Amino acid sequence: MKRLTNNPVTVICLLLCLCAAVLIALVTAHAEPPVTPIQACYNDTNGGLRRVNSPADCKNHETPISWNTAGPAGAQGPAGAQGPAGPAGPTGPGANIVTFRHTRTAANTCGPFNNFSFIDQPSINGNAGALIFVTGIVGINSARSNTNPNSNLNLTYTGTMSFGTCPAGRWIVAGGDIATGAQFNVLVVNP
């Protein structure tokens, strides 16, 4: 016996078993009792009522009755008035990311030398703090050279004042293919 009580693994196992037994006893003691009907006998002559264990315990001049502590479910009541709107939940993942394709057109070509194209997109218009990643869409033409040379690709925010013919508060892209119809993939991450 001394060998068992000096072994820490054995002591831990015994304590765990004891804790499990106590937990089972507590759960059993606090469990909901089964719903059983309450039995009684109604005296037909004087209207008295007495509680009994079974309807068979009623006498000849008594009527057995029973009831439950929980009755049958009633009909559903009318819907109540709508409560106030709750607070807005947290922003979900990816809600601050916007992607789109920007195409250089005659309408968005701007700058001192018409070598810029302003990007008109609500998520970045007037948003100097946006993180913007731009890549030119490159293809291979019949001469086996790039259709968009992507050299010196430049992204600039005009700020509060216009830049040449570029409007204020806009991101502008320059470099690469400066021809009308050139396309750029844009990824915006708003902080």
Side-chain angles (χ1 to χ4, degrees), residues 46-63:
N46 64 12
L49 188 67
R50 69 182 178 95
R51 188 168 190 281
V52 293
N53 292 329
S54 156
D57 295 336
C58 293
K59 298 179 181 165
N60 288 342
H61 63 281
E62 294 177 325
T63 303

Side-chain angles (χ1 to χ4, degrees), residues 23-104:
L23 182 64
I24 290 171
L26 284 172
V27 169
T28 303
H30 293 291
E32 292 270 335
V35 177
T36 55
I38 298 171
Q39 301 291 332
C41 297
Y42 173 76
N43 189 314
D44 297 330
T45 56
N46 64 12
L49 188 67
R50 69 182 178 95
R51 188 168 190 281
V52 293
N53 292 329
S54 156
D57 295 336
C58 293
K59 298 179 181 165
N60 288 342
H61 63 281
E62 294 177 325
T63 303
I65 59 172
S66 66
W67 64 92
N68 287 332
T69 56
Q76 183 173 348
Q82 183 169 344
T91 301
N96 62 337
I97 296 175
V98 177
T99 59
F100 59 93
R101 180 165 289 171
H102 171 69
T103 302
R104 182 188 299 268

Side-chain angles (χ1 to χ4, degrees), residues 61-163:
H61 63 281
E62 294 177 325
T63 303
I65 59 172
S66 66
W67 64 92
N68 287 332
T69 56
Q76 183 173 348
Q82 183 169 344
T91 301
N96 62 337
I97 296 175
V98 177
T99 59
F100 59 93
R101 180 165 289 171
H102 171 69
T103 302
R104 182 188 299 268
T105 64
N108 64 26
T109 298
C110 64
F113 306 107
N114 285 334
N115 58 339
F116 288 91
S117 175
F118 70 88
I119 303 171
D120 187 18
Q121 216 282 334
S123 67
I124 60 173
N125 290 349
N127 185 356
L131 300 173
I132 302 176
F133 304 92
V134 176
T135 58
I137 299 175
V138 178
I140 305 296
N141 59 24
S142 60
R144 307 306 295 158
S145 62
N146 292 340
T147 58
N148 187 343
N150 266 336
S151 60
N152 301 318
L153 193 61
N154 179 8
L155 183 67
T156 307
Y157 186 70
T158 60
T160 58
M161 296 176 50
S162 61
F163 177 70

